[in-house]
Amino acid sequence: MRHFFAVLSRMKHIRRWGLMRCTREENLCEHSFETAVLAHALAVLRNERFGGSVSPERAAALALFHDASEIFTGDLPTPVKYDNPALRSAYAQVESHARSRLLSMLPEDLRPTYRPLLEEGGPEEAELRRIVKAADKLSALIKCMEERRAGNAEFSRAEQTLRRAVEDMRLPEADCFLTEFLPSYALTLDEQEGDPTEITEGKDTGSHEREL
């Protein structure tokens, strides 16, 4: 009996943002799915608009597994994780051990396929790792926007920091997402379904009223 996939399913029990007061808790499974969607989108943008030749499917797969080690380690808050070099190095070793533990739960013949996913790709996938990192930060930025929109000022500083972090990565596909797609996350469902020109001009009456 092998436990790998059953243990992976426990990602939904790992709570994120441990130091923050949240209006709605976010779990690791949600975050990993959203990061995968965003990584896929960034890879598509790179290929279609910026002359890239990366695999969106591979980017999504790497993103799905990028935080799998946190099943055992939990989500260590960023201020703690990066407090000093010694702590950061020690946590990296803990993460490495957690990945090895997960890998040991697979049959030998499957490990070569899943090892690169758990380790976020080999040297040949450095660009994909950058895309996944940007997607990871975008997912966290979206969470901050959702919390602020719900009236929670706890995430205001984190939102500013994460936006700058994405911009500082100097990835054109991430910059494109910030300007073209991210603003929609601040809208209501009625606004997202409406005519963008009407929303901009303040004329949108809401989908429910349009149906009457």
Side-chain angles (χ1 to χ4, degrees), residues 1-205:
M1 182 167 52
R2 298 291 182 170
H3 307 302
F4 180 79
F5 296 105
V7 170
L8 276 183
S9 74
R10 293 180 176 273
M11 291 171 73
K12 58 181 172 285
H13 301 308
I14 307 301
R15 177 176 174 267
R16 285 172 50 81
W17 305 98
L19 292 178
M20 310 286 276
R21 176 180 61 83
C22 298
T23 59
R24 188 188 74 82
E25 289 190 0
E26 179 186 56
N27 64 56
L28 184 59
C29 194
E30 293 175 87
H31 168 67
S32 297
F33 169 78
E34 184 167 53
T35 302
V37 170
L38 295 170
H40 186 278
L42 294 180
V44 170
L45 285 168
R46 171 173 291 200
N47 292 345
E48 297 299 323
R49 297 188 178 179
F50 304 104
S53 58
V54 296
S55 168
E57 293 77 18
R58 185 64 175 175
L62 291 172
L64 279 174
F65 289 87
H66 80 286
D67 277 342
S69 62
E70 292 183 6
I71 295 168
F72 298 123
T73 67
D75 178 38
L76 190 65
T78 298
V80 177
K81 186 186 301 185
Y82 298 109
D83 184 59
N84 63 70
L87 182 58
R88 184 173 183 177
S89 175
Y91 187 70
Q93 293 179 34
V94 171
E95 287 183 312
S96 178
H97 176 73
R99 287 192 293 267
S100 297
R101 184 178 174 188
L102 264 176
L103 198 64
S104 72
M105 296 178 177
L106 281 166
E108 289 282 353
D109 58 330
L110 298 186
R111 292 178 190 178
T113 297
Y114 284 91
R115 179 177 286 108
L117 293 174
L118 292 174
E119 296 175 354
E120 298 184 45
E124 73 283 359
E125 295 181 319
E127 281 305 300
L128 284 179
R129 285 199 298 275
R130 290 191 73 210
I131 287 174
V132 171
K133 184 176 180 180
D136 184 31
K137 293 182 182 299
L138 281 171
S139 175
L141 174 57
I142 289 165
K143 169 62 175 174
C144 292
M145 292 174 62
E146 291 172 345
E147 288 290 329
R148 181 174 54 79
R149 186 169 174 271
N152 184 5
E154 182 94 356
F155 283 77
S156 297
R157 179 67 64 83
E159 179 181 349
Q160 297 169 10
T161 300
L162 284 163
R163 183 181 289 271
R164 284 196 301 270
V166 174
E167 293 170 345
D168 288 345
M169 292 188 72
R170 299 292 189 268
L171 290 176
E173 58 270 24
D175 293 336
C176 178
F177 193 94
L178 286 174
T179 58
E180 189 170 345
F181 296 100
L182 190 68
S184 180
Y185 287 83
L187 303 180
T188 65
L189 179 60
D190 284 340
E191 290 170 331
Q192 290 167 345
E193 291 179 336
D195 182 341
T197 58
E198 291 182 349
I199 295 170
T200 302
E201 296 169 4
K203 297 177 181 179
D204 184 58
T205 56

